[in-house]
Amino acid sequence: MSRRRGMMSESFKEELAKELGFYDTVKKEGWGGIRARDAGNMVKRAIEIAENKLTGHR
């Protein structure tokens, strides 16, 4: 089986984790240690950032 490649770079995910306040968990336990809610919030924030870039807002 091939492994799925992520859409977000590792550095972008780390930046989002820091912004959302769960980077310490990522450092200690890896990405598997975060809560589903945190993962969802990370995806939501990434979408917001992408939409803002498309519309020219920051």
Side-chain angles (χ1 to χ4, degrees), residues 6-20 22 31 37-55 57-58:
M7 297 296 291
M8 291 189 270
S9 71
E10 194 69 20
S11 62
F12 183 58
K13 289 192 300 188
E14 289 174 359
E15 181 182 321
L16 290 173
K18 288 174 186 175
E19 179 181 326
L20 297 171
F22 56 87
W31 291 106
R37 178 176 293 232
D38 290 334
N41 287 337
M42 190 169 73
V43 171
K44 276 193 221 177
R45 182 66 182 125
I47 291 169
E48 287 173 2
I49 291 168
E51 287 176 340
N52 287 340
K53 285 186 179 185
L54 287 174
T55 61
H57 297 103
R58 290 210 172 216

